[in-house]
Amino acid sequence: LLEAIKLPASVERIGKEAFYNCDQLKSIAFPDKVSEISYDTLFSCDSLEEISIGKNVKEIDLSAFRYCPSLKKITVSAGNKYYSAKGPVLFNAHKTVLIKSFDTVSQSYTIPSTVKEIGEFAFSSMALKTVKLHNNIEKIGANAFSDTAIYSPENRIDGCIYIDDCLISGGTTENNTKITVKDGVRLIADEAFAELYRLTEVYIPESVLYIGEHALYGNMNLKKVTVKNPDAVIGRCALT
């Protein structure tokens, strides 16, 4: 049974689902000429523990390593200008953007102090129950913590999901017509209130410094938005 793969140095691209359901595979090394790792390349490789990524990889699909429950380590070549990693968590080269966690085991995580942005779906469907953010974070992508225990009742206030001083989602307020963001919130995540069709009014307090992209997208019945901080940074299409 296939347990380890070291691809030839001449390989330049890995196609989608290339190693789909290789459930005995434990390690794989992508050579330096590879520039792209595609959709579901290593989907459902149950025994996979380690992935090595070469220096010229510049695009990794967010679903490339889905459902690899044994994954402990991603190693990125020191010469790579686009990516870095720590354990099973993938970052940009300078670790200012947390792109995606493939950790299906850990229930808690502390965001490194270098991180300024958490990518969309970064922790989606992981085992995460608690996460510690910090004040350097400037942006949280859409659905960054969706389908995790972060959405449990203890993190909800009036249906909205909060982590520390960040509002992650108002997505549990489908039946609410009015949302008042709690005082002290500093940041609202991308698409936090998107497509809440009953929503007619939103109040955003002075403490909010950033309103994420498409935060209120698709709210056809929205009639009033109050933003108390005139200096708040408003992301692309945040209020439309």
Side-chain angles (χ1 to χ4, degrees):
L1 294 174
L2 189 64
E3 293 189 358
I5 297 174
K6 185 174 182 180
L7 297 167
S10 58
V11 172
E12 297 182 1
R13 187 178 182 276
I14 308 297
K16 65 180 182 180
E17 301 179 354
F19 304 103
Y20 187 99
N21 200 26
C22 291
D23 57 5
Q24 298 301 311
L25 183 65
K26 292 184 177 180
S27 66
I28 187 168
F30 295 106
D32 284 340
K33 285 190 175 183
V34 170
S35 62
E36 179 184 352
I37 301 174
S38 301
Y39 173 83
D40 279 354
T41 294
L42 290 160
F43 179 87
S44 193
C45 294
D46 292 348
S47 302
L48 186 66
E49 297 179 357
E50 184 170 354
I51 300 168
S52 297
I53 295 170
K55 66 180 181 181
N56 291 315
V57 172
K58 60 182 179 181
E59 185 174 348
I60 300 173
D61 192 277
L62 291 179
S63 65
F65 314 137
R66 282 198 303 159
Y67 303 119
C68 295
S70 301
L71 186 60
K72 297 180 176 66
K73 185 178 182 181
I74 300 172
T75 301
V76 180
S77 171
N80 191 295
K81 297 179 181 179
Y82 302 94
Y83 293 103
S84 62
K86 185 175 182 181
V89 182
L90 192 66
F91 301 86
N92 70 340
H94 300 292
K95 288 188 170 67
T96 56
V97 180
L98 192 157
I99 298 170
K100 178 66 177 170
S101 171
F102 297 97
D103 186 349
T104 61
V105 177
S106 299
Q107 296 185 357
S108 63
Y109 187 77
T110 298
I111 304 296
S113 60
T114 57
V115 171
K116 295 183 178 182
E117 178 179 339
I118 299 172
E120 63 177 0
F121 296 100
F123 292 92
S124 181
S125 302
M126 297 295 104
L128 202 63
K129 290 185 176 180
T130 61
V131 62
K132 181 64 178 175
L133 305 180
H134 56 72
N135 290 333
N136 292 338
I137 292 177
E138 300 173 355
K139 178 179 170 63
I140 297 176
N143 298 295
F145 301 96
S146 61
D147 297 317
T148 70
I150 296 296
Y151 279 62
S152 59
E154 58 264 31
N155 291 326
R156 298 180 188 177
I157 298 176
D158 295 331
C160 296
I161 306 296
Y162 295 92
I163 304 175
D164 299 333
D165 60 356
C166 299
L167 188 151
I168 304 304
S169 175
T172 59
T173 60
E174 290 90 346
N175 295 318
N176 287 2
T177 59
K178 181 178 179 180
I179 292 174
T180 299
V181 177
K182 73 174 185 177
D183 287 335
V185 168
R186 178 180 60 85
L187 181 152
I188 296 174
D190 293 355
E191 298 186 17
F193 304 117
E195 299 183 342
L196 299 178
Y197 300 119
R198 296 173 183 263
L199 190 63
T200 61
E201 185 175 349
V202 176
Y203 177 88
I204 299 174
E206 191 171 3
S207 61
V208 173
L209 303 178
Y210 178 76
I211 302 170
E213 296 179 7
H214 300 282
L216 291 158
Y217 171 78
N219 292 308
M220 297 178 291
N221 294 308
L222 187 63
K223 294 179 173 62
K224 182 179 180 181
V225 178
T226 301
V227 180
K228 295 298 290 183
N229 184 353
D231 298 319
V233 176
I234 297 176
R236 181 170 57 92
C237 301
L239 304 180
T240 58

